[in-house]
Amino acid sequence: MAGILSRFTLRSLRRNRTRTIVSIVGIVLSCALITAVFTTVSSLEKAMERATVLTEGSWTAFALQEGEADLDPLRADERVGAISVARELGEAKLGEMQEAHLGSWLALRELPVAAGGANEEAQRLSVPLKLSEGRLPTAEGELVLSSSMRGLKPEGGGVRADEPLALGSRLELDLGRRTRDGRVVSSLSDTILARDHDDPEFVSVEDDQLSQVLTRSYTVVGFYETGYGGLGTDVGASYDDQVAFVSPGGPGSPTASLVWASASGFSNIDELESWAKGALGNDVYLHNNLLRYQGVYGTGVVWKALWEFAATLACVIAVASVSLIYNAFAISVAERTRQFGLLSSMGASRRQLRRAVFGEALALGLVGIPLGVLVGIAGVAVTLRFTQEGFDALLNAKGVMGLHVSAPAILATIAFSLLVLVVSAWLPALRASHVSAIDAIRQTQDVHVSRGLARRLREGRAGKGPFGMPGILARRNLTRSSSKGRVIVASLAVSVALMVTGGYLAQSLSVIVSGGAGGVDAAVGEADLIVSYYGQGGSGTLAEMDGYLRESQLVFDAARGVEGASDVRSYRSFSTGILLPPNSLRTDLRPEGGADDGVGGLQVAADGSGAGWANVVVPDSESWRLICEAAGVDESSESIALNRFTSYNEDGSSTVSSPLATKGEAVLVLAERSEQNLRPSLSLDRDGKPVAVYYRPAQGGDEAKADRHTVPLDEVSQQQEPLRVAALLDEMPEGLRWMHDSSSFPTYIVSPSAYERIAGVIFPSAARVGLNVADSGQAAKNLDEAMRSVSLSGDYHVVDIAGNARSTRLALETMTLFCLLFSLILVLIAIANVFNTLSNSMLLRTREFAMLRSVGMGPSAFRRMVVCECASYALRGLTWGLALALTVSYFLYRATELVQRGIGFSLPWAAMGAACLASAAVLGTSVAFALHKGHASNVVEALRTDAI
Amino acid sequence: MDIISVEHLSKEYREGEGVVRALDDVSLTIGQGEFLAIIGSSGSGKSTLLHLMGGVDRPSSGTVRVNGEDIYQRSDEQLAVFRRREVGLVYQFYNLIPVLDVVENITLPARLDGQEVNERRLASMLRSLGLERQEHLLPNQLSGGQQQRVAIGRALLNSPSIVLADEPTGNLDSKNSAEIMSLLRASNRDLRQTLVVITHDENVALMADRVVAIEDGRIVSDERRA
């Protein structure tokens, strides 16, 4: 059997090349799209693995070992790729003055060195220290400290310096072995690495003892930025200690060793954990983030969701593809009904006939699937090339996104595509095997007349309607081939829906990126770069204030010195206690009695008075002028209150309010410090009377053990200064909105000239300078270098707003591009379906058209008939498609309403217009093609020729 | 010996809202090697009777026995085997497979049966049909007469015991008609194949051993010729 029916199948395919090509194109498109979806996900997975290695290191296991590390078992293990180790040489106790900010201990640690495997691989195991200043230690007697110690003068403990720490400073350390209950502990002993998890109590590191103490001197050659990567990733990780680094290979035996190792060949996390504990000891920490991407540590919530999303997309593609391919087979079988009937009458069994159709599917699949896989992979490769920047932004790592073809994913694609083919061919195959030989032999097929038409025929109304006989013929044909019509209309509707929804998606993302009050580009409109400076301490002493003013001015000057900088605006912010008189706050915010939690940093009393923390912002002169202009007051005014407070609700939404009821006068209060040198906060007692609250957090952050006591304000020594508020302003003027965080309330903008008077009652918070510049990325780098060169004691932070916005825009554009490409290919599949169905439907009627011509139907009447039919398909397809698209678009709008920040739903007119034009184009092309193909040289020839 | 026995055969078709009784309680027996002509006007039920005898359609009621066995007790698979081994069908409009060439069309039933084609028999068949030079031509490259000869070759190659021909000369000129009937008659005589022919052609009817007339689904006359 196989031979003759195979020939029958293959020759039938060759005979109707157009339908065969369209079917293959459909298979290629669907297979390519499925390949693209899976390949994109596997590439993304690989990229995230690379990004993780880049940002967190390539280590698999990180361990803490007591004393000198025992690495022989590791070195002998074939599964181990590389090993590096950092020895901890001891600890020194920090003085009490530094404890609050730096912790209780300073650990001395060597920089990691390769201890096994290839050097290059070993160096990638952990993320190297990022220097903010200076260089790494290379000789004995040199060390680098965390940048949080810069500018401090440690004293009163086992860490001492004669001057505030800077490059070149001499540091003396009383280094020893830290012990607790006779056991040696290290800077990592109290982390999850080594803590006994059953013990709920936090240990008191202050009670640890130091033994075998030796005093050593070091020269500070550099400062490093404190990392946030955590255990294993951050070489400076510790429980609560400062860590200083020295060059490896120095004298002394270590108190502990930190070991990083990479390993492979494990199928699951339990196997890896068991091996790691055996090879490295119990105090081992696994790199779950990386193991997740390597397939060892489950799939995680995110990856499960991503592969499920990919599988869902594959199913959507499958539905579209099955529709096209099924239709192609259905047409193929329908056109060869006579032949299948003949074969049945000749003795072909049902199984043989089914196999003929499946053989056709296989033949098409053998061509389409490999081609589809190649096209899919190539498509992803090309797309990734053009979206590299976007993925860099999405992944927050440069150059990690590349094409990664996963063999299991390709096999899954091939299997899935074959399944789609089988499913598509199933019903047509069944139909072919059940073809009535009699219908085939008789060459007749009953014309099925709908009930409506039958009724109209009986009532004599069927022969009436617009467009005359051509219109009647068109309407009858639409009734006759209703199943084909439904396919055409459905495919058209799907393609219209996809085009319009895709257009809406692109439009919305454009709004999110560029427009709206909170759009990505809105932030850029304020300032391209913002530098924040945070003064040291916060204790409010004069020395601190002078240092803050001096150093913040250095920051401002550095910003003004950036080449090409424009619109440079700056401000200094301060914190202070504040008392507001009665009726200052809105009635609806006042409690019925006593005081409540209030609003922002204020507690509110029943009479509308308030007490709490306030922010004081002192802008530069030009900014002050603009703010006065916006508030409608004179520049000689003393202050303006920002009457805007944004609170965030549990569901993630936000509420903006204007809590202040009147301008007038506020009182700034600086109360005396506590014995522990802590500044109190202001509040109200139950009767609404102002109080000072002294608060000391407990060690380990246990709220229940925090120390808190309240003193009536009039019993506390304090300084007060009145502040005249000239106006309430709802919002900072455009260009200066970056100066105000509306979740911080209350905020008072104070004139530069009024600052001197209130300087005694405020203490430094942060200073900021914003500027516009063409190349924000380069300017950010230049500014960073300029900051380092001025040797600030406080911290600073440069934010490339324009760069971040660019990254966000790129990320969104990349996502949009993928969505649009996906939609486009689905549109092509749907259009192919329309083309296939309509053109074949027309081809089947070649003889009928010839007959109409033979009885005198002229070209214009013929055109009218065809146009009527196509117009019906177009109207129905567009109606359903637009309805579906607008429904989906509205739901998309509702889902992203919060992100779109109050922008109303708008119709994607451009996409709708494009969909209408595309529908007309595809219908017109299908018909033109079919009519051209079916046009016989003469009527007789057409009447004789088989339609196939 | 009766090779075909039709008993109380009826066939109804649904057409629109009504039911058409194409065959109405027809009973008939045909002996082995007999040449039977069936005549009747258009729509009388001739083709229906022929197709039911060939196992191509299923009756509404009644039986068709071939060699004593009710063929409609067989499964669809067995019926397909029956059609390709025991019956040869020839139609008025040739009904060749347009994508298969002459040889492939002729050998179609044999290949569907999984048989090896007997090349000598095939060559002899092609010579008898006058198609030695048209072996690899497609149906659309042949004349009407040639196409009908291919159809006959297809019907006869497997040496079926029954040959059913539905107006085999209806679409041919007199010369071709005579040639076609000559082939069928030769096969009937030489191989003792039972031949049932539906015809409007008097000459064809005159060639038959027996003529059955059908009208409105019923046999109205059954004459044996001397």
Side-chain angles (χ1 to χ4, degrees):
Chain A
M1 174 312 277
I4 193 69
L5 285 182
S6 300
R7 282 185 228 186
F8 167 69
T9 299
L10 291 173
R11 287 185 203 168
S12 298
L13 287 172
R14 266 203 294 273
R15 193 160 178 158
N16 196 325
R17 275 195 200 89
T18 308
R19 188 179 63 231
T20 302
I21 288 170
V22 171
S23 303
I24 291 176
V25 165
I27 295 168
V28 168
L29 282 175
S30 77
C31 188
L33 198 50
I34 297 172
T35 305
V37 166
F38 286 146
T39 304
T40 302
V41 172
S42 69
S43 299
L44 193 59
E45 207 172 27
K46 199 72 187 164
M48 292 186 79
E49 184 185 334
R50 288 192 200 114
T52 303
V53 167
L54 208 62
T55 54
E56 297 180 13
S58 61
W59 58 279
T60 306
F62 170 69
L64 179 71
Q65 291 188 345
E66 210 173 295
E68 198 76 56
D70 176 17
L71 299 177
D72 288 336
L74 277 182
R75 289 191 183 110
D77 197 323
E78 279 175 0
R79 289 172 288 191
V80 172
I83 309 165
S84 70
V85 65
R87 304 187 316 158
E88 207 154 272
L89 301 178
E91 304 212 39
K93 189 87 170 63
L94 283 163
E96 277 186 22
M97 288 292 289
Q98 282 80 53
E99 264 182 37
H101 304 290
L102 300 178
S104 306
W105 298 88
L106 179 122
L108 193 71
R109 200 181 283 173
E110 288 179 343
L111 291 167
V113 286
N119 226 25
E120 209 181 292
E121 203 187 322
Q123 280 167 15
R124 276 206 313 266
L125 285 173
S126 56
V127 177
L129 282 183
K130 192 172 173 198
L131 289 173
S132 58
E133 213 179 332
R135 61 173 175 83
L136 290 174
T138 51
E140 204 180 321
E142 294 179 343
L143 63 60
V144 294
L145 294 170
S146 159
S147 58
S148 57
M149 290 189 73
R150 203 198 188 287
L152 291 180
K153 186 171 172 247
E155 55 192 358
V159 179
R160 295 175 297 278
D162 293 331
E163 54 181 5
L165 290 171
L167 287 182
S169 296
R170 291 293 293 173
L171 190 70
E172 214 168 61
L173 302 178
D174 296 334
L175 274 174
R177 300 171 88 80
R178 190 167 128 205
T179 58
R180 182 185 304 151
D181 300 330
R183 194 175 143 248
V184 174
V185 293
S186 73
S187 60
L188 288 173
S189 293
D190 297 309
T191 62
I192 197 167
L193 204 62
R195 177 178 298 165
D196 180 353
H197 294 276
D198 291 333
D199 179 7
E201 291 289 321
F202 283 87
V203 295
S204 171
V205 298
E206 295 173 346
D207 297 334
D208 292 348
Q209 302 297 314
L210 210 60
S211 63
Q212 300 173 32
V213 179
L214 284 174
T215 302
R216 293 209 178 117
S217 285
Y218 293 90
T219 303
V220 177
V221 297
F223 292 94
Y224 67 88
E225 286 180 12
T226 315
Y228 298 97
L231 292 175
T233 293
D234 181 8
V235 295
S238 69
Y239 174 63
D240 192 28
D241 303 11
Q242 288 295 313
V243 181
F245 284 94
V246 292
S247 65
S253 58
T255 55
S257 297
L258 283 61
V259 181
W260 291 264
S262 64
S264 59
F266 300 96
S267 54
N268 59 63
I269 196 70
D270 293 329
E271 194 188 329
L272 174 62
E273 193 170 355
S274 169
W275 167 83
K277 283 189 171 161
L280 289 162
N282 278 332
D283 296 340
V284 68
Y285 187 63
L286 298 179
H287 196 175
N288 289 339
N289 273 353
L290 186 61
L291 292 169
R292 188 172 287 126
Y293 301 130
Q294 291 173 342
V296 178
Y297 178 51
T299 51
V301 171
V302 172
W303 283 109
K304 192 163 172 290
L306 210 54
W307 281 109
E308 277 177 3
F309 180 65
T312 306
L313 285 182
C315 290
V316 169
I317 298 163
V319 166
S321 309
V322 163
S323 159
L324 168 65
I325 300 167
Y326 160 80
N327 202 35
F329 283 122
I331 292 169
S332 167
V333 166
E335 287 173 352
R336 290 179 295 155
T337 297
R338 265 178 53 207
Q339 294 173 40
F340 283 114
L342 272 171
L343 287 167
S344 173
S345 73
M346 294 298 117
S349 67
R350 286 186 179 169
R351 194 187 307 170
Q352 287 173 323
L353 294 175
R354 279 198 299 272
R355 280 188 194 167
V357 179
F358 284 125
E360 192 173 319
L362 186 65
L364 293 174
L366 279 173
V367 175
I369 291 176
L371 212 53
V373 168
L374 289 173
V375 167
I377 293 172
V380 172
V382 167
T383 308
L384 288 181
R385 207 160 159 217
F386 287 102
T387 54
Q388 187 68 58
E389 264 195 281
F391 277 107
D392 286 350
L394 264 169
L395 297 169
N396 207 22
K398 266 185 153 12
V400 295
M401 186 65 174
L403 180 69
H404 175 73
V405 180
S406 155
I410 297 299
L411 286 173
T413 300
I414 292 171
F416 195 71
S417 301
L418 279 170
L419 181 65
V420 164
L421 267 179
V422 167
V423 167
S424 305
W426 192 268
L427 272 179
L430 276 181
R431 214 170 280 150
S433 67
H434 281 84
V435 164
S436 160
I438 281 298
D439 283 341
I441 292 159
R442 286 169 158 200
Q443 299 175 54
T444 59
Q445 237 176 340
D446 282 340
V447 174
H448 296 286
V449 170
S450 69
R451 280 190 191 156
L453 177 58
R455 190 176 62 248
R456 286 200 298 279
L457 283 166
R458 280 197 305 272
E459 293 168 6
R461 292 191 290 121
K464 298 182 174 116
F467 308 115
M469 196 61 204
I472 293 168
L473 283 168
R475 284 191 292 279
R476 295 282 172 85
N477 282 326
L478 288 168
T479 311
R480 182 177 82 181
S481 53
S482 57
S483 66
K484 282 205 183 95
R486 277 197 292 272
V487 169
I488 294 170
V489 167
S491 300
L492 207 53
V494 164
S495 57
V496 165
L498 283 169
M499 276 190 271
V500 174
T501 308
Y504 177 75
L505 198 64
Q507 180 182 285
S508 312
L509 283 171
S510 164
V511 163
I512 289 168
V513 167
S514 64
V520 169
D521 283 349
V524 178
E526 294 285 305
D528 292 338
L529 279 186
I530 292 177
V531 186
S532 304
Y533 166 77
Y534 306 97
Q536 280 283 357
S539 57
T541 63
L542 197 59
E544 271 182 13
M545 183 68 93
D546 285 345
Y548 173 68
L549 293 174
R550 187 182 63 250
E551 291 201 345
S552 56
Q553 190 58 49
L554 288 172
V555 172
F556 296 162
D557 292 342
R560 288 200 174 86
V562 168
E563 200 180 319
S566 63
D567 302 320
V568 183
R569 305 266 182 262
S570 60
Y571 72 90
R572 292 183 177 94
S573 71
F574 304 85
S575 294
T576 185
I578 192 166
L579 295 173
L580 291 178
N583 301 315
S584 294
L585 291 140
R586 284 193 344 243
T587 320
D588 58 300
L589 294 172
R590 302 176 198 177
E592 283 181 6
D596 73 350
D597 287 338
V599 54
L602 278 183
Q603 278 212 300
V604 183
D607 62 1
S609 63
W613 281 116
N615 302 303
V616 171
V617 171
V618 182
D620 61 79
S621 305
E622 177 58 21
S623 301
W624 172 246
R625 186 187 67 75
L626 292 169
I627 293 166
C628 288
E629 204 174 282
V633 298
D634 194 71
E635 277 178 64
S636 61
S637 304
E638 196 165 84
S639 75
I640 294 165
L642 274 171
N643 196 12
R644 184 182 177 93
F645 174 55
T646 303
S647 61
Y648 293 94
N649 308 314
E650 279 180 14
D651 62 0
S653 62
S654 61
T655 308
V656 177
S657 59
S658 302
L660 293 172
T662 56
K663 53 187 185 187
E665 195 169 276
V667 176
L668 305 182
V669 179
L670 197 66
E672 68 173 350
R673 292 171 178 274
S674 67
E675 284 172 2
Q676 291 80 23
N677 204 33
L678 293 172
R679 186 72 66 190
S681 60
L682 296 195
S683 186
L684 297 171
D685 64 15
R686 284 202 187 97
D687 300 321
K689 299 274 185 280
V691 293
V693 182
Y694 291 89
Y695 177 82
R696 185 182 176 218
Q699 192 76 19
D702 187 346
E703 278 286 325
K705 294 185 180 172
D707 177 32
R708 177 189 169 105
H709 71 273
T710 305
V711 178
L713 190 62
D714 49 18
E715 291 175 21
V716 169
S717 173
Q718 59 188 272
Q719 286 172 267
Q720 290 193 356
E721 285 290 346
L723 187 69
R724 282 181 292 281
V725 181
L728 301 181
L729 188 63
D730 285 337
E731 200 175 36
M732 291 285 260
E734 206 176 304
L736 297 179
R737 286 184 191 139
W738 59 273
M739 287 190 176
H740 177 230
D741 174 6
S742 62
S743 64
S744 178
F745 178 82
T747 297
Y748 293 85
I749 320 285
V750 171
S751 147
S753 55
Y755 163 74
E756 290 298 327
R757 185 172 66 73
I758 64 169
V761 294
I762 56 178
F763 55 90
S765 177
R768 285 201 176 87
V769 54
L771 58 131
N772 287 333
V773 66
D775 185 348
S776 63
Q778 188 56 48
K781 281 189 190 133
N782 295 344
L783 205 46
D784 198 46
E785 276 170 26
M787 295 289 104
R788 287 176 209 275
S789 68
V790 298
S791 301
L792 300 170
S793 61
D795 284 336
Y796 70 90
H797 195 49
V798 180
V799 179
D800 181 1
I801 303 283
N804 290 344
R806 194 167 48 243
S807 295
T808 305
R809 188 186 314 117
L810 278 171
L812 286 172
E813 283 171 354
T814 302
M815 288 195 302
T816 310
L817 179 66
F818 273 83
C819 288
L820 287 178
L821 282 174
F822 179 79
S823 301
L824 177 67
I825 295 178
L826 284 181
V827 165
L828 287 176
I829 292 175
I831 284 176
N833 208 9
V834 171
F835 179 85
N836 210 19
T837 311
L838 190 53
S839 61
N840 279 285
S841 159
M842 290 283 161
L843 274 172
L844 268 180
R845 290 155 66 192
T846 301
R847 213 186 262 183
E848 178 190 323
F849 294 154
M851 186 276 295
L852 287 169
R853 290 207 317 269
S854 76
V855 299
M857 185 182 240
S860 64
F862 184 79
R863 266 197 302 275
R864 241 180 305 152
M865 180 183 75
V866 171
V867 165
C868 278
E869 279 186 47
C870 291
S872 169
Y873 292 138
L875 206 62
R876 283 183 287 156
L878 279 169
T879 304
W880 281 107
L882 287 174
L884 182 63
L886 295 177
T887 307
V888 170
S889 298
Y890 184 71
F891 279 116
L892 277 175
Y893 165 75
R894 290 297 304 268
T896 58
E897 204 172 358
L898 280 176
V899 184
Q900 297 203 46
R901 301 170 202 268
I903 296 164
F905 176 71
S906 63
L907 294 173
W909 292 111
M912 286 161 68
C916 292
L917 286 173
S919 302
V922 75
L923 287 169
T925 309
S926 308
V927 167
F929 169 79
L931 291 180
H932 172 73
K933 193 108 187 327
H935 181 77
S937 55
N938 60 55
V939 166
V940 173
E941 181 68 34
L943 286 171
R944 277 190 59 205
T945 304
D946 196 287
I948 299 162
Chain B
M1 181 188 117
D2 291 336
I3 190 167
I4 300 175
S5 173
V6 173
E7 294 164 14
H8 305 293
L9 200 63
S10 295
K11 176 70 182 178
E12 290 171 354
Y13 295 105
R14 263 191 196 286
E15 261 185 28
E17 289 175 1
V19 171
V20 172
R21 208 172 172 84
L23 270 189
D24 190 1
D25 195 25
V26 167
S27 296
L28 177 69
T29 56
I30 306 172
Q32 187 175 358
E34 197 170 359
F35 180 178
L36 173 71
I38 302 177
I39 60 174
S41 55
S42 215
S44 58
K46 314 185 291 295
S47 297
T48 307
L49 176 60
L50 195 83
H51 295 137
L52 285 171
M53 284 197 285
V56 179
D57 201 355
R58 282 194 179 265
S60 303
S61 62
T63 57
V64 174
R65 292 182 193 282
V66 175
N67 287 321
E69 190 195 336
D70 183 355
I71 64 172
Y72 290 108
Q73 291 300 312
R74 297 184 188 186
S75 66
D76 286 341
E77 187 71 32
Q78 289 166 332
L79 216 46
V81 172
F82 167 74
R83 285 200 295 277
R84 57 186 186 239
R85 289 183 191 170
E86 298 184 49
V87 177
L89 279 156
V90 183
Y91 302 101
Q92 179 180 359
F93 289 102
Y94 330 131
N95 286 337
L96 302 180
I97 304 293
V99 295
L100 300 178
D101 63 24
V102 166
V103 165
E104 288 163 342
N105 266 290
I106 289 174
T107 57
L108 184 58
R111 292 193 197 210
L112 285 172
D113 205 33
Q115 294 173 24
E116 280 286 332
V117 174
N118 186 326
E119 294 296 331
R120 283 176 71 182
R121 176 151 171 74
L122 175 63
S124 166
M125 177 67 70
L126 286 168
R127 269 197 306 277
S128 317
L129 296 170
L131 295 170
E132 309 98 304
R133 291 194 191 137
Q134 287 81 26
E135 271 186 28
H136 297 297
L137 295 181
L138 292 174
N140 63 359
Q141 294 171 303
L142 304 173
S143 69
Q146 287 171 327
Q147 288 188 56
Q148 193 62 300
R149 273 182 256 165
V150 173
I152 288 172
R154 181 177 66 192
L156 298 182
L157 187 69
N158 257 1
S159 303
S161 49
I162 303 165
V163 176
L164 306 171
D166 189 348
E167 302 205 43
T169 61
N171 231 25
L172 303 173
D173 57 35
S174 54
K175 181 169 178 288
N176 277 310
S177 296
E179 283 175 8
I180 294 302
M181 284 316 301
S182 165
L183 284 167
L184 287 172
R185 195 53 166 131
S187 192
N188 162 245
R189 263 201 318 261
D190 300 342
L191 301 176
R192 288 209 74 214
Q193 283 168 332
T194 303
L195 177 60
V196 180
V197 176
I198 292 173
T199 186
H200 282 122
D201 190 335
E202 224 175 67
N203 294 326
V204 171
L206 284 171
M207 290 165 77
D209 300 328
R210 180 176 161 202
V211 178
V212 166
I214 292 187
E215 203 62 46
D216 294 329
R218 286 173 176 269
I219 293 177
V220 296
S221 74
D222 186 349
E223 284 181 17
R224 282 188 191 278
R225 295 177 55 77

